[in-house]
Amino acid sequence: MARLRLALVATLVLALAGCVSGSPAGGGDQKQSGDAYSGDVEWWTINLQKNYGPDIQKWIDAYQKDHPDVHIKWVDVPGQDITTKLLAALASGKVPDVVNFTSATTGLFASSMADLSSLFSKEDVAAYLPNLTEPLVVDGKRIAIPWYNGGTSLAFYNKDLLAKAGFDPAKPPTTYDEALTLATKYHDATGKSATNFMAYSSVVQADGVKLLSEDGKKAAFNTPGTLALLEKFKKLFDSGAIAPGSLGENQRDLPQSLENKLIAFNPAAVSSSLLNVQKNAPAVYSSIVVGPPVTGADGKFYMPGQQVMGIPAKSSHQAAAAAWLKYVAAPEQQLALCKLVPIYPSSVKALEDPFFTDITGTSPADQARKILIDTFKQSVDASMGSGNDEQLRQLFDDQVRAYMSGTKTAQQALDAAEKAWNDTLAKGK
């Protein structure tokens, strides 16, 4: 039902700083034992184990060594399965003790999560950025703690391929129109597809289109402006300038990619995808120029959401779960993750590290980190507050695919998406 866009991938080994403890700062060196920290803790994450297993296992091993009464059972769930799997677990009563989900799905899980106010002190919560913790209070209940986020999107350009289109690395596109013009130039010069950039809900939203009504009860996107934007993208898709594989549902595994050089640029990509290029295609990585994501009519940078962690109310090991959550979301661990992939931490202390305050490198990863930080300061949270953002976005994006593939007109697609949204919203959260 839902697809999570944000996925953390890495292959290097983390250096765990300091001793493991139950405090969110990771400080202190005494070993905890007894009922407060004992029990089996089942921990669910999203898309980490394949590329990150040995590193996270080091966290678990170190934690269990300092907390001998605790056993961490790590369960990694594919991004496309996390929502349905967690809903099923909550319905059955057989729940994980700590679970990673996204802020876009908090409306689905809020009523089933424990109130962390009884497990996290005000000082504990103050360790994280207020603008990230505040949205995680639902109806007066703190349902989750922020972990990490992708910040805004980033733009990645293969300067070697794009040289044929007259691309100037010092002046990458800044707007949708400039990106689409570059795509056309590249296709005209080479006959090849230039990009996977597609007018999905996130792109429409960043073009200044209001997706929901003010009261959040109805779709608001069915406008002449949205119609014109879809038609603009359709022309490039039909020509081949936008890759045919861009209509794939799994946006993390499209057939035409930067890695295989079947596209030349992506003007609004998940930041962590840069590490995929570095890992899978080092020669391509050396040709990558990083820029801010292109913007639509409103000129704003949007942050898709954040990765959060909560404790289901039916967990029978909440104290042990809270201690593990505080450790895994501590600034030391967040900083280590950020050093491996361009992501943004939720920890105030992590942001004070020179890694974020003194960026002097020139590699694509260094460029990405600096741009990510700069754009994050101007970012707007793209969450709609519907309680089920991901399902609504999928309903919209499915209709975009229908239009682009020729089975519906643009207006038919918008009408169908509007009806699907209104029907879903009428059912409530």
Side-chain angles (χ1 to χ4, degrees):
M1 176 180 70
R3 302 185 309 276
L4 300 184
R5 297 182 178 178
L6 299 178
L8 179 62
V9 291
T11 57
L12 303 178
V13 176
L14 291 177
L16 296 179
C19 295
V20 180
S21 80
S23 74
D29 59 3
Q30 72 270 25
K31 295 182 179 179
Q32 302 289 350
S33 61
D35 292 341
Y37 292 90
S38 64
D40 293 335
V41 175
E42 185 169 320
W43 177 46
W44 286 13
T45 60
I46 302 169
N47 281 342
L48 297 182
Q49 203 163 56
K50 179 180 179 181
N51 295 307
Y52 212 56
D55 306 297
I56 288 185
Q57 190 60 49
K58 290 180 183 293
W59 290 8
I60 295 171
D61 292 344
Y63 189 84
Q64 291 179 154
K65 181 179 179 180
D66 277 10
H67 299 77
D69 293 337
V70 176
H71 175 257
I72 305 298
K73 180 183 178 182
W74 179 26
V75 178
D76 197 53
V77 182
Q80 66 269 23
D81 297 337
I82 185 65
T83 299
T84 52
K85 185 176 177 67
L86 181 53
L87 285 172
L90 293 171
S92 71
K94 188 177 180 180
V95 299
D97 298 294
V98 181
V99 62
N100 171 202
F101 54 99
T102 71
S103 58
T105 58
T106 53
L108 289 175
F109 306 128
S111 62
S112 301
M113 292 293 134
D115 187 353
L116 298 185
S117 298
S118 62
L119 298 165
F120 283 70
S121 68
K122 291 182 179 180
E123 290 75 18
D124 289 338
V125 176
Y128 309 102
L129 293 169
N131 63 317
L132 299 181
T133 58
E134 288 168 5
L136 301 179
V137 176
V138 178
D139 296 330
K141 183 175 77 170
R142 174 160 300 288
I143 65 166
I145 290 296
W147 192 10
Y148 66 88
N149 60 78
T152 59
S153 298
L154 292 170
F156 304 121
Y157 303 91
N158 186 321
K159 67 179 186 298
D160 294 340
L161 294 180
L162 289 170
K164 301 171 185 177
F167 173 71
D168 182 353
K171 297 179 180 179
T174 59
T175 67
Y176 286 4
D177 285 344
E178 290 176 358
L180 296 178
T181 296
L182 178 61
T184 299
K185 287 182 177 179
Y186 180 78
H187 182 256
D188 289 346
T190 67
K192 299 177 180 179
S193 296
T195 183
N196 285 319
F197 193 40
M198 180 48 66
Y200 292 126
S201 60
S202 59
V203 172
V204 171
Q205 182 182 24
D207 199 42
V209 174
K210 192 171 182 60
L211 299 180
L212 276 179
S213 60
E214 288 295 337
D215 61 9
K217 295 182 178 180
K218 291 185 178 181
F221 54 72
N222 197 348
T223 67
T226 306
L227 185 72
L229 183 65
L230 293 183
E231 290 174 341
K232 182 185 298 185
F233 274 77
K234 182 72 157 65
K235 291 178 181 178
L236 273 75
F237 181 77
D238 287 347
S239 74
I242 294 177
S246 62
L247 300 189
E249 290 197 27
N250 186 351
Q251 293 295 299
R252 292 189 295 272
D253 191 26
L254 299 179
Q256 294 87 30
S257 67
L258 288 171
E259 291 100 305
N260 60 28
K261 297 198 287 188
L262 293 181
I263 60 169
F265 73 99
N266 194 332
V270 174
S271 60
S272 59
S273 63
L274 179 61
L275 195 64
N276 290 338
V277 179
Q278 184 181 20
K279 174 188 175 184
N280 300 322
V284 174
Y285 177 77
S286 65
S287 300
I288 293 295
V289 170
V290 184
V294 293
T295 60
D298 64 4
K300 296 178 181 177
F301 299 115
Y302 281 79
M303 185 178 76
Q306 57 176 323
Q307 298 288 333
V308 304
M309 287 189 285
I311 299 174
K314 292 182 180 179
S315 166
S316 57
H317 306 102
Q318 292 189 17
W324 169 250
L325 196 164
K326 291 174 186 180
Y327 164 67
V328 80
E332 289 85 358
Q333 280 62 263
Q334 290 194 29
L335 181 62
L337 295 179
C338 294
K339 288 182 177 180
L340 298 175
V341 63
I343 58 170
Y344 206 81
S346 62
S347 163
V348 174
K349 184 178 178 181
L351 291 171
E352 297 172 350
D353 190 87
F355 181 74
F356 289 109
T357 61
D358 185 17
I359 301 172
T360 58
T362 58
S363 71
D366 293 323
Q367 296 174 42
R369 190 167 75 259
K370 187 176 188 308
I371 292 169
L372 190 64
I373 295 166
D374 291 343
T375 57
F376 185 82
K377 298 172 183 175
Q378 310 165 48
S379 68
V380 176
D381 191 338
S383 298
M384 295 182 288
S386 70
N388 203 359
D389 287 8
E390 290 188 348
Q391 184 181 15
L392 293 178
R393 289 187 184 279
Q394 182 172 345
L395 291 169
F396 183 97
D397 294 351
D398 285 345
Q399 293 303 320
V400 171
R401 294 184 183 96
Y403 168 51
M404 294 296 165
S405 62
T407 61
K408 291 183 179 180
T409 67
Q411 190 60 62
Q412 287 172 339
L414 287 177
D415 290 346
E418 180 181 37
K419 183 179 186 305
W421 276 41
N422 290 343
D423 289 348
T424 300
L425 291 166
K427 296 175 183 177
K429 297 181 179 180

